[in-house]
Short mmCIF file of all heavy atoms in Angstrom, two decimals:
data_model
loop_
_atom_site.label_atom_id
_atom_site.label_comp_id
_atom_site.label_asym_id
_atom_site.label_seq_id
_atom_site.Cartn_x
_atom_site.Cartn_y
_atom_site.Cartn_z
N HIS M 23 3.78 -5.68 -4.31
CA HIS M 23 3.04 -4.74 -3.52
C HIS M 23 1.63 -5.22 -3.29
O HIS M 23 1.21 -6.25 -3.79
CB HIS M 23 3.00 -3.40 -4.25
CG HIS M 23 2.93 -2.28 -3.30
ND1 HIS M 23 1.76 -1.83 -2.78
CD2 HIS M 23 3.90 -1.53 -2.74
CE1 HIS M 23 2.00 -0.83 -1.96
NE2 HIS M 23 3.29 -0.63 -1.91
N GLU M 24 0.92 -4.45 -2.56
CA GLU M 24 -0.49 -4.69 -2.37
C GLU M 24 -1.27 -3.99 -3.46
O GLU M 24 -0.90 -4.05 -4.62
CB GLU M 24 -0.88 -4.21 -0.99
CG GLU M 24 -0.47 -2.77 -0.76
CD GLU M 24 0.19 -2.56 0.56
OE1 GLU M 24 1.04 -3.34 0.94
OE2 GLU M 24 -0.16 -1.59 1.21
N CYS M 25 -2.35 -3.30 -3.13
CA CYS M 25 -3.19 -2.62 -4.11
C CYS M 25 -3.50 -1.21 -3.62
O CYS M 25 -3.16 -0.84 -2.51
CB CYS M 25 -4.48 -3.39 -4.34
SG CYS M 25 -4.23 -5.09 -4.88
N GLY M 26 -4.16 -0.44 -4.48
CA GLY M 26 -4.58 0.89 -4.11
C GLY M 26 -6.07 1.06 -4.32
O GLY M 26 -6.61 0.62 -5.34
N VAL M 27 -6.76 1.69 -3.36
CA VAL M 27 -8.19 1.95 -3.48
C VAL M 27 -8.44 3.45 -3.41
O VAL M 27 -7.69 4.19 -2.77
CB VAL M 27 -9.01 1.22 -2.40
CG1 VAL M 27 -8.84 -0.28 -2.51
CG2 VAL M 27 -8.63 1.70 -0.99
N PHE M 28 -9.51 3.88 -4.08
CA PHE M 28 -9.82 5.30 -4.14
C PHE M 28 -11.32 5.47 -4.30
O PHE M 28 -11.97 4.69 -5.02
CB PHE M 28 -9.09 5.97 -5.31
CG PHE M 28 -9.05 7.47 -5.23
CD1 PHE M 28 -7.99 8.11 -4.63
CD2 PHE M 28 -10.07 8.25 -5.75
CE1 PHE M 28 -7.94 9.49 -4.53
CE2 PHE M 28 -10.05 9.63 -5.66
CZ PHE M 28 -8.97 10.26 -5.05
N GLY M 29 -11.88 6.47 -3.65
CA GLY M 29 -13.30 6.78 -3.80
C GLY M 29 -13.52 8.27 -3.82
O GLY M 29 -12.73 9.04 -3.26
N LEU M 48 -7.33 10.24 -11.78
CA LEU M 48 -6.11 10.91 -11.33
C LEU M 48 -5.66 10.39 -9.97
O LEU M 48 -4.46 10.28 -9.70
CB LEU M 48 -6.33 12.42 -11.27
CG LEU M 48 -6.46 13.12 -12.62
CD1 LEU M 48 -6.88 14.57 -12.45
CD2 LEU M 48 -5.15 13.05 -13.39
N GLY M 49 -6.63 10.07 -9.12
CA GLY M 49 -6.29 9.47 -7.83
C GLY M 49 -5.60 8.13 -8.00
O GLY M 49 -4.63 7.82 -7.29
N LEU M 50 -6.07 7.33 -8.96
CA LEU M 50 -5.45 6.03 -9.22
C LEU M 50 -4.05 6.18 -9.83
O LEU M 50 -3.16 5.39 -9.54
CB LEU M 50 -6.33 5.20 -10.14
CG LEU M 50 -7.67 4.73 -9.56
CD1 LEU M 50 -8.44 3.92 -10.60
CD2 LEU M 50 -7.48 3.91 -8.29
N VAL M 51 -3.88 7.21 -10.67
CA VAL M 51 -2.54 7.48 -11.22
C VAL M 51 -1.55 7.72 -10.08
O VAL M 51 -0.41 7.24 -10.10
CB VAL M 51 -2.58 8.67 -12.19
CG1 VAL M 51 -1.17 9.13 -12.54
CG2 VAL M 51 -3.33 8.30 -13.47
N ALA M 52 -1.99 8.48 -9.07
CA ALA M 52 -1.12 8.75 -7.92
C ALA M 52 -0.84 7.49 -7.11
O ALA M 52 0.15 7.43 -6.38
CB ALA M 52 -1.77 9.81 -7.02
N LEU M 53 -1.70 6.48 -7.23
CA LEU M 53 -1.52 5.21 -6.52
C LEU M 53 -0.93 4.13 -7.42
O LEU M 53 -0.89 2.96 -7.02
CB LEU M 53 -2.86 4.72 -5.96
CG LEU M 53 -3.55 5.61 -4.93
CD1 LEU M 53 -4.92 5.04 -4.56
CD2 LEU M 53 -2.69 5.78 -3.68
N GLN M 54 -0.46 4.51 -8.60
CA GLN M 54 0.01 3.51 -9.56
C GLN M 54 1.14 2.65 -9.00
O GLN M 54 1.27 1.47 -9.34
CB GLN M 54 0.49 4.21 -10.84
CG GLN M 54 0.87 3.28 -11.98
CD GLN M 54 -0.31 2.70 -12.71
OE1 GLN M 54 -0.83 3.30 -13.63
NE2 GLN M 54 -0.76 1.52 -12.31
N HIS M 55 1.96 3.21 -8.11
CA HIS M 55 3.05 2.44 -7.51
C HIS M 55 2.55 1.27 -6.67
O HIS M 55 3.28 0.33 -6.40
CB HIS M 55 3.92 3.35 -6.63
CG HIS M 55 3.17 4.02 -5.52
ND1 HIS M 55 2.32 5.08 -5.73
CD2 HIS M 55 3.12 3.77 -4.18
CE1 HIS M 55 1.80 5.45 -4.58
NE2 HIS M 55 2.26 4.67 -3.62
N ARG M 56 1.27 1.31 -6.27
CA ARG M 56 0.71 0.25 -5.45
C ARG M 56 0.17 -0.91 -6.28
O ARG M 56 -0.18 -1.96 -5.72
CB ARG M 56 -0.40 0.79 -4.56
CG ARG M 56 0.06 1.85 -3.58
CD ARG M 56 -1.05 2.27 -2.63
NE ARG M 56 -1.29 1.26 -1.62
CZ ARG M 56 -0.64 1.16 -0.47
NH1 ARG M 56 0.32 2.02 -0.17
NH2 ARG M 56 -0.93 0.22 0.40
N GLY M 57 0.08 -0.74 -7.58
CA GLY M 57 -0.42 -1.81 -8.43
C GLY M 57 -0.38 -1.42 -9.88
O GLY M 57 -0.85 -0.35 -10.26
N THR M 104 -6.51 -0.06 -8.22
CA THR M 104 -5.36 -0.47 -9.02
C THR M 104 -4.67 -1.61 -8.30
O THR M 104 -4.59 -1.60 -7.07
CB THR M 104 -4.41 0.71 -9.30
OG1 THR M 104 -3.36 0.29 -10.15
CG2 THR M 104 -3.82 1.28 -8.01
N ASN M 134 -7.94 -3.52 -0.52
CA ASN M 134 -6.48 -3.59 -0.40
C ASN M 134 -6.16 -4.40 0.84
O ASN M 134 -6.62 -4.07 1.94
CB ASN M 134 -5.89 -2.18 -0.30
CG ASN M 134 -4.45 -2.16 0.19
OD1 ASN M 134 -4.05 -1.26 0.90
ND2 ASN M 134 -3.67 -3.14 -0.20
N SER M 197 -8.20 -2.61 3.80
CA SER M 197 -8.88 -1.33 3.70
C SER M 197 -9.86 -1.47 2.55
O SER M 197 -9.51 -1.99 1.49
CB SER M 197 -7.90 -0.19 3.43
OG SER M 197 -7.16 0.13 4.59
N VAL M 199 -13.24 0.23 0.18
CA VAL M 199 -14.22 1.25 -0.20
C VAL M 199 -15.41 0.50 -0.81
O VAL M 199 -15.23 -0.34 -1.70
CB VAL M 199 -13.66 2.32 -1.15
CG1 VAL M 199 -12.76 3.27 -0.40
CG2 VAL M 199 -12.93 1.71 -2.33
N ARG M 216 -3.61 -1.87 7.06
CA ARG M 216 -3.49 -1.24 5.75
C ARG M 216 -3.93 0.23 5.84
O ARG M 216 -4.86 0.55 6.58
CB ARG M 216 -4.36 -1.97 4.72
CG ARG M 216 -3.89 -3.37 4.43
CD ARG M 216 -2.61 -3.37 3.58
NE ARG M 216 -1.73 -4.45 3.98
CZ ARG M 216 -0.47 -4.32 4.31
NH1 ARG M 216 0.09 -3.14 4.29
NH2 ARG M 216 0.27 -5.35 4.64
N PRO M 217 -3.29 1.11 5.11
CA PRO M 217 -3.61 2.54 5.23
C PRO M 217 -4.90 2.93 4.51
O PRO M 217 -5.31 2.31 3.53
CB PRO M 217 -2.40 3.21 4.56
CG PRO M 217 -1.93 2.21 3.54
CD PRO M 217 -2.19 0.86 4.15
N LEU M 218 -5.54 3.98 5.01
CA LEU M 218 -6.72 4.57 4.37
C LEU M 218 -6.90 5.97 4.95
O LEU M 218 -6.85 6.15 6.17
CB LEU M 218 -7.96 3.72 4.64
CG LEU M 218 -9.21 4.02 3.78
CD1 LEU M 218 -8.93 3.71 2.31
CD2 LEU M 218 -10.40 3.22 4.27
N CYS M 219 -7.10 6.96 4.07
CA CYS M 219 -7.21 8.33 4.55
C CYS M 219 -8.29 9.09 3.78
O CYS M 219 -8.75 8.66 2.72
CB CYS M 219 -5.87 9.06 4.47
SG CYS M 219 -5.22 9.23 2.80
N ILE M 220 -8.67 10.24 4.34
CA ILE M 220 -9.77 11.04 3.82
C ILE M 220 -9.25 12.41 3.41
O ILE M 220 -8.43 13.02 4.10
CB ILE M 220 -10.86 11.21 4.91
CG1 ILE M 220 -11.42 9.85 5.33
CG2 ILE M 220 -11.98 12.13 4.43
CD1 ILE M 220 -12.20 9.89 6.63
N GLY M 221 -9.76 12.89 2.27
CA GLY M 221 -9.43 14.24 1.81
C GLY M 221 -10.69 15.00 1.45
O GLY M 221 -11.73 14.42 1.14
N VAL M 243 -12.95 12.69 -0.82
CA VAL M 243 -12.23 11.57 -1.42
C VAL M 243 -11.70 10.69 -0.30
O VAL M 243 -11.46 11.14 0.82
CB VAL M 243 -11.07 12.02 -2.33
CG1 VAL M 243 -11.61 12.65 -3.60
CG2 VAL M 243 -10.13 12.99 -1.61
N ILE M 244 -11.52 9.43 -0.62
CA ILE M 244 -10.94 8.47 0.32
C ILE M 244 -9.93 7.63 -0.46
O ILE M 244 -10.18 7.25 -1.61
CB ILE M 244 -12.04 7.61 0.98
CG1 ILE M 244 -11.46 6.76 2.12
CG2 ILE M 244 -12.79 6.76 -0.04
CD1 ILE M 244 -12.54 6.22 3.05
N SER M 245 -8.77 7.39 0.12
CA SER M 245 -7.67 6.81 -0.66
C SER M 245 -6.72 6.01 0.23
O SER M 245 -6.60 6.27 1.44
CB SER M 245 -6.89 7.94 -1.34
OG SER M 245 -5.77 7.47 -2.03
N SER M 246 -6.04 5.05 -0.39
CA SER M 246 -5.00 4.31 0.33
C SER M 246 -3.89 5.24 0.81
O SER M 246 -3.31 5.02 1.88
CB SER M 246 -4.39 3.24 -0.58
OG SER M 246 -5.34 2.25 -0.89
N GLU M 247 -3.59 6.27 0.03
CA GLU M 247 -2.55 7.22 0.39
C GLU M 247 -3.01 8.63 0.04
O GLU M 247 -3.84 8.83 -0.85
CB GLU M 247 -1.23 6.92 -0.34
CG GLU M 247 -0.57 5.62 0.03
CD GLU M 247 0.76 5.43 -0.69
OE1 GLU M 247 1.51 6.41 -0.83
OE2 GLU M 247 1.03 4.29 -1.13
N SER M 248 -2.40 9.60 0.69
CA SER M 248 -2.76 11.00 0.48
C SER M 248 -1.97 11.66 -0.65
O SER M 248 -2.22 12.81 -0.98
CB SER M 248 -2.52 11.79 1.77
OG SER M 248 -1.13 11.74 2.13
N CYS M 249 -1.04 10.93 -1.26
CA CYS M 249 -0.08 11.55 -2.19
C CYS M 249 -0.73 12.22 -3.39
O CYS M 249 -0.16 13.13 -3.98
CB CYS M 249 0.95 10.52 -2.65
SG CYS M 249 0.26 9.00 -3.33
N GLY M 250 -1.93 11.79 -3.78
CA GLY M 250 -2.56 12.38 -4.96
C GLY M 250 -3.53 13.50 -4.66
O GLY M 250 -4.11 14.09 -5.58
N PHE M 251 -3.71 13.86 -3.40
CA PHE M 251 -4.76 14.80 -3.04
C PHE M 251 -4.56 16.18 -3.66
O PHE M 251 -5.49 16.78 -4.20
CB PHE M 251 -4.89 14.91 -1.52
CG PHE M 251 -5.58 13.74 -0.87
CD1 PHE M 251 -5.70 13.66 0.51
CD2 PHE M 251 -6.10 12.71 -1.62
CE1 PHE M 251 -6.35 12.60 1.12
CE2 PHE M 251 -6.74 11.62 -1.03
CZ PHE M 251 -6.86 11.57 0.34
N LEU M 252 -3.36 16.73 -3.56
CA LEU M 252 -3.14 18.07 -4.06
C LEU M 252 -3.38 18.17 -5.57
O LEU M 252 -3.89 19.17 -6.06
CB LEU M 252 -1.71 18.53 -3.72
CG LEU M 252 -1.44 18.84 -2.25
CD1 LEU M 252 0.02 19.20 -2.04
CD2 LEU M 252 -2.34 19.97 -1.75
N SER M 253 -3.03 17.12 -6.29
CA SER M 253 -3.18 17.15 -7.75
C SER M 253 -4.63 17.12 -8.21
O SER M 253 -4.92 17.43 -9.37
CB SER M 253 -2.41 15.98 -8.39
OG SER M 253 -3.00 14.74 -8.02
N ILE M 254 -5.55 16.76 -7.31
CA ILE M 254 -6.97 16.74 -7.68
C ILE M 254 -7.74 17.83 -6.94
O ILE M 254 -8.97 17.83 -6.94
CB ILE M 254 -7.61 15.36 -7.39
CG1 ILE M 254 -7.46 14.97 -5.92
CG2 ILE M 254 -7.03 14.29 -8.30
CD1 ILE M 254 -8.21 13.72 -5.52
N ALA M 256 -7.70 18.45 -3.66
CA ALA M 256 -8.20 18.00 -2.36
C ALA M 256 -7.15 18.26 -1.28
O ALA M 256 -5.95 18.32 -1.56
CB ALA M 256 -8.54 16.51 -2.40
N ARG M 257 -7.62 18.40 -0.05
CA ARG M 257 -6.74 18.61 1.08
C ARG M 257 -6.87 17.45 2.06
O ARG M 257 -7.98 17.01 2.35
CB ARG M 257 -7.07 19.93 1.79
CG ARG M 257 -6.80 21.13 0.90
CD ARG M 257 -7.03 22.43 1.61
NE ARG M 257 -6.80 23.56 0.73
CZ ARG M 257 -7.05 24.82 1.05
NH1 ARG M 257 -7.53 25.10 2.25
NH2 ARG M 257 -6.81 25.79 0.20
N TYR M 258 -5.72 17.02 2.54
CA TYR M 258 -5.71 15.93 3.51
C TYR M 258 -6.45 16.34 4.77
O TYR M 258 -6.21 17.41 5.34
CB TYR M 258 -4.25 15.56 3.84
CG TYR M 258 -4.10 14.52 4.92
CD1 TYR M 258 -4.18 13.17 4.64
CD2 TYR M 258 -3.86 14.91 6.25
CE1 TYR M 258 -4.02 12.21 5.64
CE2 TYR M 258 -3.70 13.96 7.24
CZ TYR M 258 -3.79 12.62 6.94
OH TYR M 258 -3.63 11.69 7.93
N GLU M 259 -7.39 15.47 5.19
CA GLU M 259 -8.13 15.73 6.42
C GLU M 259 -7.63 14.87 7.57
O GLU M 259 -7.21 15.37 8.60
CB GLU M 259 -9.63 15.46 6.19
CG GLU M 259 -10.34 16.55 5.44
CD GLU M 259 -10.53 17.82 6.28
OE1 GLU M 259 -11.14 17.74 7.36
OE2 GLU M 259 -10.03 18.88 5.85
N ARG M 260 -7.69 13.55 7.39
CA ARG M 260 -7.27 12.64 8.45
C ARG M 260 -7.23 11.22 7.93
O ARG M 260 -7.69 10.93 6.82
CB ARG M 260 -8.24 12.72 9.64
CG ARG M 260 -9.64 12.18 9.36
CD ARG M 260 -10.47 12.16 10.63
NE ARG M 260 -11.83 11.68 10.44
CZ ARG M 260 -12.21 10.40 10.53
NH1 ARG M 260 -11.29 9.44 10.76
NH2 ARG M 260 -13.47 10.05 10.39
N GLU M 261 -6.69 10.34 8.77
CA GLU M 261 -6.75 8.92 8.46
C GLU M 261 -8.08 8.33 8.92
O GLU M 261 -8.71 8.85 9.85
CB GLU M 261 -5.61 8.18 9.18
CG GLU M 261 -4.24 8.48 8.61
CD GLU M 261 -3.15 7.69 9.31
OE1 GLU M 261 -2.89 7.97 10.50
OE2 GLU M 261 -2.56 6.81 8.67
N VAL M 262 -8.50 7.28 8.27
CA VAL M 262 -9.58 6.46 8.81
C VAL M 262 -8.97 5.68 9.96
O VAL M 262 -7.92 5.04 9.81
CB VAL M 262 -10.16 5.50 7.74
CG1 VAL M 262 -11.21 4.58 8.35
CG2 VAL M 262 -10.74 6.30 6.58
N PHE M 291 -0.11 -1.27 12.32
CA PHE M 291 0.07 -0.66 11.01
C PHE M 291 1.35 -1.19 10.38
O PHE M 291 2.40 -1.27 11.02
CB PHE M 291 0.13 0.86 11.14
CG PHE M 291 0.36 1.58 9.83
CD1 PHE M 291 -0.47 1.35 8.75
CD2 PHE M 291 1.39 2.48 9.69
CE1 PHE M 291 -0.27 2.01 7.55
CE2 PHE M 291 1.61 3.15 8.50
CZ PHE M 291 0.77 2.91 7.43
N PHE M 294 6.30 -1.61 6.87
CA PHE M 294 6.95 -1.59 5.55
C PHE M 294 6.35 -0.53 4.64
O PHE M 294 6.93 -0.20 3.60
CB PHE M 294 6.88 -2.97 4.90
CG PHE M 294 8.22 -3.46 4.44
CD1 PHE M 294 9.18 -3.83 5.38
CD2 PHE M 294 8.55 -3.53 3.11
CE1 PHE M 294 10.42 -4.27 4.98
CE2 PHE M 294 9.80 -3.96 2.69
CZ PHE M 294 10.73 -4.34 3.63
N GLU M 295 5.19 0.02 4.99
CA GLU M 295 4.67 1.17 4.25
C GLU M 295 5.68 2.31 4.31
O GLU M 295 5.93 3.00 3.32
CB GLU M 295 3.32 1.62 4.81
CG GLU M 295 2.17 0.66 4.55
CD GLU M 295 1.64 0.74 3.13
OE1 GLU M 295 2.07 1.62 2.37
OE2 GLU M 295 0.77 -0.08 2.79
N TYR M 296 6.25 2.53 5.49
CA TYR M 296 7.26 3.57 5.65
C TYR M 296 8.56 3.20 4.93
O TYR M 296 9.19 4.05 4.31
CB TYR M 296 7.58 3.77 7.13
CG TYR M 296 6.53 4.51 7.91
CD1 TYR M 296 5.80 3.86 8.90
CD2 TYR M 296 6.29 5.87 7.70
CE1 TYR M 296 4.85 4.55 9.65
CE2 TYR M 296 5.34 6.55 8.44
CZ TYR M 296 4.62 5.89 9.41
OH TYR M 296 3.67 6.57 10.15
N TYR M 298 9.21 1.14 2.32
CA TYR M 298 9.30 0.96 0.88
C TYR M 298 8.05 1.32 0.10
O TYR M 298 8.11 1.99 -0.91
CB TYR M 298 9.67 -0.50 0.57
CG TYR M 298 9.82 -0.78 -0.91
CD1 TYR M 298 11.01 -0.50 -1.57
CD2 TYR M 298 8.76 -1.29 -1.65
CE1 TYR M 298 11.15 -0.72 -2.92
CE2 TYR M 298 8.89 -1.52 -3.01
CZ TYR M 298 10.09 -1.24 -3.64
OH TYR M 298 10.22 -1.45 -4.97
N PHE M 299 6.89 0.84 0.54
CA PHE M 299 5.74 0.79 -0.36
C PHE M 299 5.11 2.14 -0.65
O PHE M 299 4.71 2.41 -1.77
CB PHE M 299 4.69 -0.18 0.18
CG PHE M 299 5.15 -1.60 0.13
CD1 PHE M 299 5.20 -2.37 1.27
CD2 PHE M 299 5.56 -2.16 -1.06
CE1 PHE M 299 5.65 -3.67 1.22
CE2 PHE M 299 6.01 -3.46 -1.12
CZ PHE M 299 6.05 -4.23 0.03
N ALA M 300 4.96 2.98 0.33
CA ALA M 300 4.26 4.23 0.14
C ALA M 300 5.09 5.24 -0.65
O ALA M 300 6.32 5.20 -0.66
CB ALA M 300 3.89 4.83 1.49
N ARG M 301 4.38 6.14 -1.33
CA ARG M 301 5.06 7.24 -1.99
C ARG M 301 5.56 8.20 -0.93
O ARG M 301 4.91 8.41 0.10
CB ARG M 301 4.11 7.95 -2.97
CG ARG M 301 4.82 8.41 -4.23
CD ARG M 301 3.84 8.90 -5.28
NE ARG M 301 3.40 10.27 -5.04
CZ ARG M 301 2.68 10.97 -5.91
NH1 ARG M 301 2.28 10.41 -7.04
NH2 ARG M 301 2.30 12.20 -5.63
N SER M 302 6.71 8.82 -1.17
CA SER M 302 7.38 9.57 -0.11
C SER M 302 6.62 10.81 0.34
O SER M 302 6.85 11.32 1.44
CB SER M 302 8.80 9.96 -0.55
OG SER M 302 8.75 10.75 -1.72
N ASP M 303 5.68 11.31 -0.49
CA ASP M 303 4.93 12.50 -0.08
C ASP M 303 3.61 12.16 0.60
O ASP M 303 2.80 13.06 0.88
CB ASP M 303 4.68 13.43 -1.28
CG ASP M 303 4.00 12.74 -2.45
OD1 ASP M 303 4.08 11.50 -2.55
OD2 ASP M 303 3.40 13.44 -3.29
N SER M 304 3.37 10.89 0.88
CA SER M 304 2.16 10.49 1.61
C SER M 304 2.32 10.75 3.10
O SER M 304 3.43 10.83 3.62
CB SER M 304 1.85 9.01 1.37
OG SER M 304 1.37 8.81 0.05
N ILE M 305 1.17 10.89 3.77
CA ILE M 305 1.15 11.16 5.21
C ILE M 305 0.52 9.98 5.93
O ILE M 305 -0.59 9.56 5.61
CB ILE M 305 0.35 12.44 5.52
CG1 ILE M 305 1.02 13.65 4.88
CG2 ILE M 305 0.20 12.65 7.03
CD1 ILE M 305 0.18 14.92 4.94
N PHE M 306 1.25 9.42 6.89
CA PHE M 306 0.74 8.38 7.77
C PHE M 306 0.96 8.83 9.21
O PHE M 306 2.04 9.34 9.55
CB PHE M 306 1.47 7.05 7.58
CG PHE M 306 1.30 6.41 6.23
CD1 PHE M 306 2.36 5.76 5.63
CD2 PHE M 306 0.09 6.45 5.57
CE1 PHE M 306 2.21 5.16 4.39
CE2 PHE M 306 -0.07 5.84 4.33
CZ PHE M 306 0.99 5.20 3.74
N MET M 310 5.05 12.81 7.32
CA MET M 310 5.31 12.48 5.93
C MET M 310 6.29 11.32 5.83
O MET M 310 7.25 11.24 6.59
CB MET M 310 5.85 13.71 5.19
CG MET M 310 5.90 13.55 3.68
SD MET M 310 6.11 15.11 2.80
CE MET M 310 4.45 15.78 2.88
N VAL M 311 6.03 10.42 4.91
CA VAL M 311 6.87 9.24 4.74
C VAL M 311 8.31 9.62 4.47
O VAL M 311 9.25 9.00 4.99
CB VAL M 311 6.30 8.35 3.60
CG1 VAL M 311 7.27 7.23 3.24
CG2 VAL M 311 4.95 7.77 4.00
N TYR M 312 8.53 10.68 3.68
CA TYR M 312 9.90 11.12 3.38
C TYR M 312 10.68 11.44 4.65
O TYR M 312 11.85 11.06 4.78
CB TYR M 312 9.85 12.36 2.48
CG TYR M 312 11.22 12.84 2.04
CD1 TYR M 312 11.80 12.37 0.86
CD2 TYR M 312 11.95 13.75 2.80
CE1 TYR M 312 13.06 12.79 0.46
CE2 TYR M 312 13.21 14.18 2.40
CZ TYR M 312 13.75 13.70 1.23
OH TYR M 312 15.00 14.11 0.84
N ARG M 315 11.76 8.24 6.39
CA ARG M 315 12.87 7.59 5.68
C ARG M 315 14.18 8.33 5.93
O ARG M 315 15.24 7.71 6.09
CB ARG M 315 12.56 7.51 4.18
CG ARG M 315 11.46 6.50 3.88
CD ARG M 315 11.08 6.48 2.42
NE ARG M 315 10.01 5.49 2.20
CZ ARG M 315 9.27 5.41 1.11
NH1 ARG M 315 9.49 6.24 0.10
NH2 ARG M 315 8.34 4.48 1.01
N ARG M 367 9.73 -2.05 -12.19
CA ARG M 367 10.41 -2.56 -10.99
C ARG M 367 10.88 -3.99 -11.23
O ARG M 367 10.18 -4.81 -11.79
CB ARG M 367 9.44 -2.54 -9.80
CG ARG M 367 9.13 -1.13 -9.32
CD ARG M 367 8.25 -1.19 -8.10
NE ARG M 367 8.10 0.14 -7.52
CZ ARG M 367 7.45 0.39 -6.39
NH1 ARG M 367 6.91 -0.61 -5.72
NH2 ARG M 367 7.34 1.60 -5.92
#
Side-chain angles (χ1 to χ4, degrees):
H23 210 275
E24 53 226 45
C25 303
V27 298
F28 196 92
L48 289 171
L50 293 180
V51 169
L53 298 176
Q54 186 77 87
H55 59 285
R56 298 185 75 87
T104 184
N134 165 216
S197 286
V199 286
R216 294 287 144 233
L218 194 65
C219 62
I220 299 164
V243 289
I244 189 164
S245 176
S246 294
E247 294 183 40
S248 62
C249 53
F251 284 177
L252 289 177
S253 66
I254 58 172
R257 295 184 181 173
Y258 175 84
E259 283 288 302
R260 67 174 179 90
E261 289 182 292
V262 176
F291 178 54
F294 232 70
E295 290 283 354
Y296 285 113
Y298 181 83
F299 292 123
R301 216 170 81 171
S302 59
D303 55 338
S304 287
I305 297 171
F306 296 142
M310 191 165 282
V311 170
Y312 184 90
R315 289 176 180 166
R367 290 183 172 185

